[in-house]
Amino acid sequence: MIRIKRGPSALRLREGILPVRLFQDEAEQPLLGDRDALRRVQHPDGASVQDAATFADRLSRTLPEELSVLSFHGGAAGNLAGLKDLSTTRSIVTLGGIDAGGRNLTLIATGGAVIEQAKMSLASEDVAEGVVPGDVLNVFDNSHDLDTVRWAVLNCHDYTHADIIASLIEERIELLVVVTMNAASQLYWEYATADVHRLFCFVVIVNVAELGGSGAFVPFRRLGKKRHATLRTAGQIFSTRGPVETTAFVELDVDELRRLRTAYRERGLAGPKDMDSTRYAPLAPPEHYMHTHDRGAGAPPIGRVQDIRLDWNGNDPLVAVAQLNSLPAEDYVSGRYRLRDPHKLDDRANRVRNFESGVSLHLGMLERQLAMRPPGDRQLDFLVLPEVFVSRGFADEVIVPFCRRTNAIAICGVDYPGETDEENCNSAWIMTGAGLFRSYEKITRSQYDALDVVDGERMRMTRGDTLYRFINGQNQAFGVLICYDFSHFDLVHRINLEGHDKPLDALFVIAHNPFGELYRTCCIADSHRFYQHVVLCNVATYGGSGVFAPVRTEGARQTLMAAGLKNETVALTRLALNAQREARDKTDAQLHQEAKGIGTMMRRPGIYSRRL
């Protein structure tokens, strides 16, 4: 188990701002193209007097009242006294390498001391070197002094470990520092982009210059209020590509993060989208920091994670992702999220009929497309449609017969049931040819759920409290989440691992969400951290639908299918679940040896090293 060790933070703000200096310097070792070198270089017992002098010179560039994050150099271990002296006026983080006791250390010099935090999640290189895993995660607490920052530090492979990230959610950190010596810097960017949203904090990553990929990430969509101020998905304010020595200075607006956390907690969905921020357009946080109209901020309550038996193809299922245009948002709101009203025959009713006819047409074309495939390759296993998409009547009348004809399982968002607000709920129906198999009710409530016809008002909404894992006779499992549920890493973690040693084989996420690009990033991060296929289906207006897996792919990383933006398509993709399961049982050394380019499986994340 991870033991959280909380100590007082000495990382002090400067007028509400945290000044951070990132040093991406050379390790002065031949690392490019030589994975074994990553293993050898971590032994600082071979460091020379010159190595110690080199690192001492790097320490001289750090400044008082700042956080300095230095990339790995073998001379760090010879400068413990210097680190301790400097820690009285500044905070410094760097990698210390493998010590005589076999620990792979992160050195955190702060508050007059040097804290040695042993790496908890071991990469294959660590295992080959006989590294002893740590079990302590230091969290620097600011409850004693609000002019300091609540923060934590991770060492390289720790950042791949889903159990560690789940632990950090509970700690409500404001800053996460990741020091790494890793060629997978692009993957770590995907992690960070997902984490600044889900943890609603800042993330700083520093790598060695030979490998590059250092970066700083903030939980904002824009710096400034104009559209041209848009940042990459979730505030990548600094990054490096390729081998280069560089130093960067960034200012993290911790005071504004705190103000936003308070505003979302107190006003939540009732407040303006930007929460009156004068400098930024913030990302909406998860419910841990969000008052959601009828529920205060906090972790979404879950009653249980339930295993449901369902016969499905867990080998190489063929999936149809239907990224289609939905009705206009005002048609959902004006009908109180009920698409069919037998008492009204107006323009909206005509639009609903035309919309459902269009969906039927797409399903008919899909059946014809399947019939044209080679014999033995015509079986569709899953049909996936977006959140709150069609009426329950349409699902019964059209989608269930489609499943009966094709022997497929359909996962589809349906409109609200009944006629009264007391019955309101956002449901994903899992259907077979026999009819509705299971209804999964959305657990969280986003800014788009249950809007009232009166502008600015909201209706009641009943929420679910159960996550479902659908398990076949071979104990292969898939799960389903609805949109904003996916913004909560604790829900993703629980549906994957609660009561089970291995994650789901596949996770299906249905959405009706303007931030399709952000969810695409979360899919890539999760497909590696849980080593699973993730299928995202959004409406065509917002796009971002796709199929993502821990596979080396051409073009966009880990992407088996990408449906684009404002593009109507029903895309067929085959999931390589057998290859994924085989890779889960291999060592990273085996996977590295088999890595011959496109289509091969990636190295495994931390949960396959050991559970924490």
Side-chain angles (χ1 to χ4, degrees), residues 200-267:
F200 204 50
C201 71
F202 300 100
V203 177
V204 170
I205 301 172
V206 169
N207 202 359
V208 293
E210 288 88 345
L211 302 174
S214 300
F217 302 79
V218 298
F220 311 127
R221 291 183 290 116
R222 298 191 187 105
L223 299 182
K225 306 297 289 186
K226 303 296 185 182
R227 294 191 65 83
H228 66 264
T230 301
L231 295 163
R232 180 185 185 273
T233 304
Q236 187 174 6
I237 60 171
F238 165 74
S239 62
T240 67
R241 288 181 181 270
V244 60
E245 284 199 305
T246 187
T247 301
F249 177 73
V250 296
E251 294 182 309
L252 305 183
D253 196 341
V254 176
D255 257 10
E256 179 64 3
L257 173 66
R258 291 176 178 175
R259 190 195 70 80
L260 287 168
R261 285 184 172 186
T262 300
Y264 280 118
R265 183 177 65 251
E266 294 177 351
R267 302 168 68 188

Side-chain angles (χ1 to χ4, degrees), residues 45-68:
D45 54 357
S48 65
V49 173
Q50 181 57 48
D51 289 330
T54 298
F55 193 79
D57 181 63
R58 293 179 181 182
L59 287 178
S60 69
R61 293 184 289 158
T62 65
L63 297 177
E65 300 181 356
E66 290 184 358
L67 169 64
S68 294

